[in-house]
Structure formats: C-alpha cells, structure tokens
Amino acid sequence: MRRLGTVAAALVLAGAGVAGTAGAAGAATGPADKAPAACSTAWGSGNKSATTANTKPLRDIKASHTACYDRMVFDISGADGKPGYHVGYVDAFHQDGSGERIPVKGGAILQIFVSAPSHDPVTGKQTYAGTAGKPLPGVNITGYKTFTDTKFGASFEGQTQVGLGLRAKLPFRVVQSGHELIVDVAHKW
C-alpha cells in the first residue's frame, strides 16, 4: 500500500512538471498574461551562427515580448531551407560595407546578420524598407523590458545587418522556424 502511495505522488509531481512546461511553452509564442514560475536563462551570451545559404529577400522585421524575453522576428518568406545568420555582442555598431559608426542606445549592442538581402536580388527592388542608421520601420519597442533601440545597418553582399540596443548584456537564443529567424533576449540572467 505504501508503494502505491509513492507511485501516485510521483505521478502527481510528474504531471505538475508537464503542466509547468506547457505553460512556459505557451508563453514562448506571444505576450503572456502571467509570468511563468521560472524563466530559462541557459542560452548564454556567446556568438551564435549558422552558415546556410539563402537567395530569398528579407520581407519584414517584427518585435514582440513575453514575461521572460523580448523577441525579434525576421520574415524571409519563400526561403528554401533555413537562412544563415550571425548574432553576437559588439562594443560599437558599424555599418557593413562602409564601416561608418551608427549610434545605438542601451547598455549593450547585439549585432544581427541575416543571410537575406533587403532587396530582390533579381530585380533590385527593395523588399524591406530599412534605411542605414535609422530605426527599423514598423518596429515599436516602447515598453519592452530588454530592447532599448533598433537600427538598420545595411544590406550588403546578400545579407542584412541590424543593431539591437539592449538594457544590458543578457542571454539570447536564435531559433529558426519555417521562413522566420527568431532572436529572443532574456529579461535577466
């Protein structure tokens, strides 16, 4: 009888763990009304890269936030496979190609390169209306906990460069989902 009670208690605890995980997973897809019990910060702050090639252009950049992190999403609709990227912290943000310094507000700067130009490589027509040194069009980060500034760097040699100002140097992850490249930056360590 005692063994049955132990097994029942273990099942209840396991079920609570699964329910807690499901809640955290749901929070990852959009703004959450309630903070999860614990936010993962095991992502680290080192450079993250993937060298996969892509020939499709960047279509849009969006931002959102959850109880645990702020998120930036790069839409590369029509991409064959997953786009390449390089994401890492820099001391100063310099425009790719010219080397001109672009001021970015915040305690830390995350530089993001996405292997997708902001124009159609065949026609040359602009597909994402970023302008060097200016905030990202259509991205409003007012009220975000971690994001403090966004700047378009350049679209040069088949890749787009973005500077993301952060409150501090915090853990981040890069996730690829379908035609989207997602950069999440935690609110704390």
Side-chain angles (χ1 to χ4, degrees):
M1 188 62 130
R2 185 167 221 204
R3 180 175 263 164
L4 183 59
T6 303
V7 170
L11 287 173
V12 167
L13 289 174
V18 169
T21 303
T29 59
D33 295 328
K34 298 178 184 175
C39 296
S40 173
T41 57
W43 307 332
S45 60
N47 292 343
K48 295 167 180 60
S49 299
T51 57
T52 310
N54 175 49
T55 58
K56 299 295 181 183
L58 177 68
R59 298 288 178 198
D60 198 10
I61 301 174
K62 300 173 266 194
S64 64
H65 55 99
T66 72
C68 296
Y69 53 81
D70 291 352
R71 169 173 280 184
M72 181 163 284
V73 178
F74 297 82
D75 178 5
I76 309 161
S77 297
D80 296 329
K82 297 180 177 183
Y85 60 87
H86 180 79
V87 182
Y89 284 100
V90 293
D91 293 330
F93 186 58
H94 294 274
Q95 183 181 27
D96 194 24
S98 74
E100 185 176 325
R101 185 171 186 192
I102 298 173
V104 180
K105 298 175 192 164
I109 302 168
L110 194 61
Q111 179 170 251
I112 303 167
F113 284 101
V114 180
S115 297
S118 64
H119 60 275
D120 185 306
V122 175
T123 66
K125 182 181 176 192
Q126 190 174 30
T127 58
Y128 180 73
T131 302
K134 302 292 182 189
L136 299 177
V139 176
N140 181 356
I141 56 171
T142 304
Y144 281 43
K145 289 184 180 180
T146 298
F147 293 176
T148 58
D149 195 11
T150 66
K151 291 290 171 67
F152 188 83
S155 183
F156 184 69
E157 294 185 348
Q159 63 183 3
T160 298
Q161 175 196 31
V162 169
L164 183 56
L166 307 174
R167 178 175 45 79
K169 187 175 182 178
L170 293 161
F172 69 94
R173 69 178 174 184
V174 181
V175 180
Q176 296 186 28
S177 177
H179 62 275
E180 294 180 333
L181 181 74
I182 302 164
V183 179
D184 293 330
V185 184
H187 291 162
K188 59 183 180 179
W189 280 96

